[in-house]
Amino acid sequence: HVRSRRQRQMCIRDSLECALPTSHGDALYYHLVLSKVWIDSGLDYAYRNVCGALMTGVFDHFYVLAQLMLGSGLKAHVVSQYFHFLGSTGLAALICIQYFRKKPVIGIIGAIAFLTFKHSPDVFFYPKNDGYMASMALITALMIVDKNWLLKNESKYRHLLIGLLLGLLPLIKLSGLLITAPLSIYYVIQQRKNLNKWMSAGFVALFTCAPIFIRNYIYIGNPFFPGFSSLFPGLMSEEMVSTYTYYMSNPLSLSSFLENLYIFLTPKLGFIALIILVILKRNVPPISRNLFTLSLISFVIYILTNGGIVAPRFMFHLLFLNLFAGLIYLAQFNIQKMTLLLLLIVLALSLIHI
């Protein structure tokens, strides 16, 4: 009863916080504007005239539902915030409860950790797409690494669902390719003896993500926009190429590497120790080790391609994987009352940004 009451209090607190209209440049620049112009003048007009419209992903288009029901004022803005919050940290918290249903203490600790995310927590209240990408990356990684999660490994639909999820990541946000690549390679290696499975999954993935590449090629001449702007300038002006190259292909420096490494290793302050244990300990669950390894590979790809930019939201999907890897490692132990108290204290301290 105490556990259920705490869960309800936690949900109520975040729900109330999400009800406050928050402003963010990208949200007010194109994430929400796209829906308004779409309603007024059509989607083709919106793509051609809303600056930043071609950086939107599939979930950004659902914000149109709020504006169709409530108009384009603050009510629709707040409802759109709930879309993003519930589809990101809210969904991750539910995954924790479901995944660790036999270890409810771990599930609650994980839910609290996701709902009180340390790095840029207010981003999850903005009507954007970074949070969707993080939660869907977590679901995709778990589906691949844990062969019996959600669907049994023997299910004839499992590989098709994995293909759909792999294709969905870049469809949400094109930077999803940074995690789709290592996940796809891992899946091919895992299913190397099942040619039909991984080829079918690959076909579904390509079919799913194709619309965003086709859209970008039609409207700006670069299927990977805003990435690879210098290689595929398409219809962009020199100023656009220079701007997007800076933000999407910024060279690495020592200071940016250290800052990005700090972000990568601290999805929650108290779970640094768990990540270190995952590396050093021998009795690490394979699922935990593989999640962290996939996250680390994706981090290296990001560092090599755009390491000069320090932005926690660009690595939310990696932080979700890191945190869940730590929770899986923790779940193998019997959590005593004193240990639980210490973990909750650590979680409370992790709310302090240092």
Side-chain angles (χ1 to χ4, degrees), residues 93-105:
L94 290 176
I95 292 171
C96 283
I97 299 297
Q98 186 276 334
Y99 192 91
F100 299 107
R101 59 193 180 279
K102 295 181 180 179
K103 291 268 190 174
V105 171

PDB file of all heavy atoms in Angstrom, residues 93-105:
ATOM      1  N   ALA A  93       9.320   4.724 -17.410  1.00  0.00           N
ATOM      2  CA  ALA A  93       8.951   4.331 -16.047  1.00  0.00           C
ATOM      3  C   ALA A  93       8.021   3.117 -16.063  1.00  0.00           C
ATOM      4  O   ALA A  93       8.175   2.190 -15.261  1.00  0.00           O
ATOM      5  CB  ALA A  93       8.286   5.501 -15.324  1.00  0.00           C
ATOM      6  N   LEU A  94       7.063   3.106 -16.994  1.00  0.00           N
ATOM      7  CA  LEU A  94       6.158   1.959 -17.107  1.00  0.00           C
ATOM      8  C   LEU A  94       6.912   0.701 -17.533  1.00  0.00           C
ATOM      9  O   LEU A  94       6.603  -0.409 -17.065  1.00  0.00           O
ATOM     10  CB  LEU A  94       5.047   2.268 -18.119  1.00  0.00           C
ATOM     11  CG  LEU A  94       4.014   3.306 -17.689  1.00  0.00           C
ATOM     12  CD1 LEU A  94       3.025   3.580 -18.823  1.00  0.00           C
ATOM     13  CD2 LEU A  94       3.266   2.843 -16.441  1.00  0.00           C
ATOM     14  N   ILE A  95       7.887   0.868 -18.411  1.00  0.00           N
ATOM     15  CA  ILE A  95       8.712  -0.273 -18.829  1.00  0.00           C
ATOM     16  C   ILE A  95       9.444  -0.860 -17.625  1.00  0.00           C
ATOM     17  O   ILE A  95       9.545  -2.080 -17.473  1.00  0.00           O
ATOM     18  CB  ILE A  95       9.712   0.154 -19.919  1.00  0.00           C
ATOM     19  CG1 ILE A  95       8.970   0.497 -21.221  1.00  0.00           C
ATOM     20  CG2 ILE A  95      10.728  -0.962 -20.192  1.00  0.00           C
ATOM     21  CD1 ILE A  95       9.852   1.125 -22.278  1.00  0.00           C
ATOM     22  N   CYS A  96       9.946   0.003 -16.746  1.00  0.00           N
ATOM     23  CA  CYS A  96      10.625  -0.464 -15.532  1.00  0.00           C
ATOM     24  C   CYS A  96       9.683  -1.299 -14.675  1.00  0.00           C
ATOM     25  O   CYS A  96      10.043  -2.383 -14.206  1.00  0.00           O
ATOM     26  CB  CYS A  96      11.142   0.716 -14.716  1.00  0.00           C
ATOM     27  SG  CYS A  96      12.639   1.474 -15.362  1.00  0.00           S
ATOM     28  N   ILE A  97       8.474  -0.783 -14.447  1.00  0.00           N
ATOM     29  CA  ILE A  97       7.498  -1.494 -13.624  1.00  0.00           C
ATOM     30  C   ILE A  97       7.171  -2.857 -14.237  1.00  0.00           C
ATOM     31  O   ILE A  97       7.084  -3.866 -13.543  1.00  0.00           O
ATOM     32  CB  ILE A  97       6.208  -0.664 -13.454  1.00  0.00           C
ATOM     33  CG1 ILE A  97       6.510   0.680 -12.759  1.00  0.00           C
ATOM     34  CG2 ILE A  97       5.174  -1.445 -12.673  1.00  0.00           C
ATOM     35  CD1 ILE A  97       7.051   0.561 -11.364  1.00  0.00           C
ATOM     36  N   GLN A  98       6.999  -2.870 -15.571  1.00  0.00           N
ATOM     37  CA  GLN A  98       6.640  -4.126 -16.243  1.00  0.00           C
ATOM     38  C   GLN A  98       7.823  -5.090 -16.293  1.00  0.00           C
ATOM     39  O   GLN A  98       7.677  -6.286 -15.994  1.00  0.00           O
ATOM     40  CB  GLN A  98       6.152  -3.822 -17.663  1.00  0.00           C
ATOM     41  CG  GLN A  98       5.613  -5.034 -18.438  1.00  0.00           C
ATOM     42  CD  GLN A  98       6.676  -5.871 -19.124  1.00  0.00           C
ATOM     43  OE1 GLN A  98       7.756  -5.376 -19.457  1.00  0.00           O
ATOM     44  NE2 GLN A  98       6.376  -7.154 -19.316  1.00  0.00           N
ATOM     45  N   TYR A  99       8.993  -4.600 -16.645  1.00  0.00           N
ATOM     46  CA  TYR A  99      10.165  -5.469 -16.827  1.00  0.00           C
ATOM     47  C   TYR A  99      10.590  -6.100 -15.505  1.00  0.00           C
ATOM     48  O   TYR A  99      10.963  -7.277 -15.462  1.00  0.00           O
ATOM     49  CB  TYR A  99      11.320  -4.661 -17.425  1.00  0.00           C
ATOM     50  CG  TYR A  99      12.472  -5.503 -17.913  1.00  0.00           C
ATOM     51  CD1 TYR A  99      12.512  -5.954 -19.233  1.00  0.00           C
ATOM     52  CD2 TYR A  99      13.530  -5.848 -17.075  1.00  0.00           C
ATOM     53  CE1 TYR A  99      13.571  -6.726 -19.690  1.00  0.00           C
ATOM     54  CE2 TYR A  99      14.581  -6.615 -17.530  1.00  0.00           C
ATOM     55  CZ  TYR A  99      14.602  -7.058 -18.841  1.00  0.00           C
ATOM     56  OH  TYR A  99      15.653  -7.831 -19.284  1.00  0.00           O
ATOM     57  N   PHE A 100      10.517  -5.312 -14.433  1.00  0.00           N
ATOM     58  CA  PHE A 100      10.953  -5.806 -13.123  1.00  0.00           C
ATOM     59  C   PHE A 100       9.751  -6.152 -12.235  1.00  0.00           C
ATOM     60  O   PHE A 100       9.791  -5.942 -11.030  1.00  0.00           O
ATOM     61  CB  PHE A 100      11.826  -4.749 -12.435  1.00  0.00           C
ATOM     62  CG  PHE A 100      13.084  -4.412 -13.186  1.00  0.00           C
ATOM     63  CD1 PHE A 100      13.202  -3.196 -13.845  1.00  0.00           C
ATOM     64  CD2 PHE A 100      14.130  -5.306 -13.249  1.00  0.00           C
ATOM     65  CE1 PHE A 100      14.352  -2.879 -14.540  1.00  0.00           C
ATOM     66  CE2 PHE A 100      15.290  -5.002 -13.952  1.00  0.00           C
ATOM     67  CZ  PHE A 100      15.402  -3.787 -14.597  1.00  0.00           C
ATOM     68  N   ARG A 101       8.692  -6.678 -12.833  1.00  0.00           N
ATOM     69  CA  ARG A 101       7.494  -6.981 -12.063  1.00  0.00           C
ATOM     70  C   ARG A 101       7.753  -8.041 -10.983  1.00  0.00           C
ATOM     71  O   ARG A 101       7.051  -8.084  -9.965  1.00  0.00           O
ATOM     72  CB  ARG A 101       6.361  -7.425 -12.990  1.00  0.00           C
ATOM     73  CG  ARG A 101       6.664  -8.660 -13.828  1.00  0.00           C
ATOM     74  CD  ARG A 101       5.632  -8.852 -14.930  1.00  0.00           C
ATOM     75  NE  ARG A 101       5.911 -10.028 -15.748  1.00  0.00           N
ATOM     76  CZ  ARG A 101       6.800 -10.035 -16.746  1.00  0.00           C
ATOM     77  NH1 ARG A 101       7.487  -8.945 -17.022  1.00  0.00           N
ATOM     78  NH2 ARG A 101       6.993 -11.133 -17.453  1.00  0.00           N
ATOM     79  N   LYS A 102       8.750  -8.901 -11.202  1.00  0.00           N
ATOM     80  CA  LYS A 102       9.109  -9.890 -10.182  1.00  0.00           C
ATOM     81  C   LYS A 102      10.078  -9.316  -9.153  1.00  0.00           C
ATOM     82  O   LYS A 102      10.371  -9.957  -8.148  1.00  0.00           O
ATOM     83  CB  LYS A 102       9.725 -11.127 -10.844  1.00  0.00           C
ATOM     84  CG  LYS A 102       8.745 -11.885 -11.732  1.00  0.00           C
ATOM     85  CD  LYS A 102       9.390 -13.117 -12.335  1.00  0.00           C
ATOM     86  CE  LYS A 102       8.393 -13.872 -13.216  1.00  0.00           C
ATOM     87  NZ  LYS A 102       9.008 -15.078 -13.840  1.00  0.00           N
ATOM     88  N   LYS A 103      10.596  -8.126  -9.432  1.00  0.00           N
ATOM     89  CA  LYS A 103      11.472  -7.396  -8.508  1.00  0.00           C
ATOM     90  C   LYS A 103      10.908  -5.984  -8.373  1.00  0.00           C
ATOM     91  O   LYS A 103      11.499  -5.014  -8.866  1.00  0.00           O
ATOM     92  CB  LYS A 103      12.899  -7.345  -9.052  1.00  0.00           C
ATOM     93  CG  LYS A 103      13.621  -8.686  -9.054  1.00  0.00           C
ATOM     94  CD  LYS A 103      14.406  -8.848  -7.765  1.00  0.00           C
ATOM     95  CE  LYS A 103      15.317 -10.060  -7.830  1.00  0.00           C
ATOM     96  NZ  LYS A 103      16.179 -10.157  -6.641  1.00  0.00           N
ATOM     97  N   PRO A 104       9.759  -5.827  -7.726  1.00  0.00           N
ATOM     98  CA  PRO A 104       9.062  -4.529  -7.713  1.00  0.00           C
ATOM     99  C   PRO A 104       9.877  -3.390  -7.130  1.00  0.00           C
ATOM    100  O   PRO A 104       9.699  -2.243  -7.530  1.00  0.00           O
ATOM    101  CB  PRO A 104       7.805  -4.813  -6.878  1.00  0.00           C
ATOM    102  CG  PRO A 104       8.111  -6.040  -6.096  1.00  0.00           C
ATOM    103  CD  PRO A 104       9.026  -6.848  -6.956  1.00  0.00           C
ATOM    104  N   VAL A 105      10.769  -3.695  -6.193  1.00  0.00           N
ATOM    105  CA  VAL A 105      11.609  -2.631  -5.616  1.00  0.00           C
ATOM    106  C   VAL A 105      12.482  -2.008  -6.694  1.00  0.00           C
ATOM    107  O   VAL A 105      12.615  -0.779  -6.785  1.00  0.00           O
ATOM    108  CB  VAL A 105      12.473  -3.187  -4.463  1.00  0.00           C
ATOM    109  CG1 VAL A 105      13.506  -2.144  -4.017  1.00  0.00           C
ATOM    110  CG2 VAL A 105      11.604  -3.593  -3.290  1.00  0.00           C
TER     111      VAL A 105
END
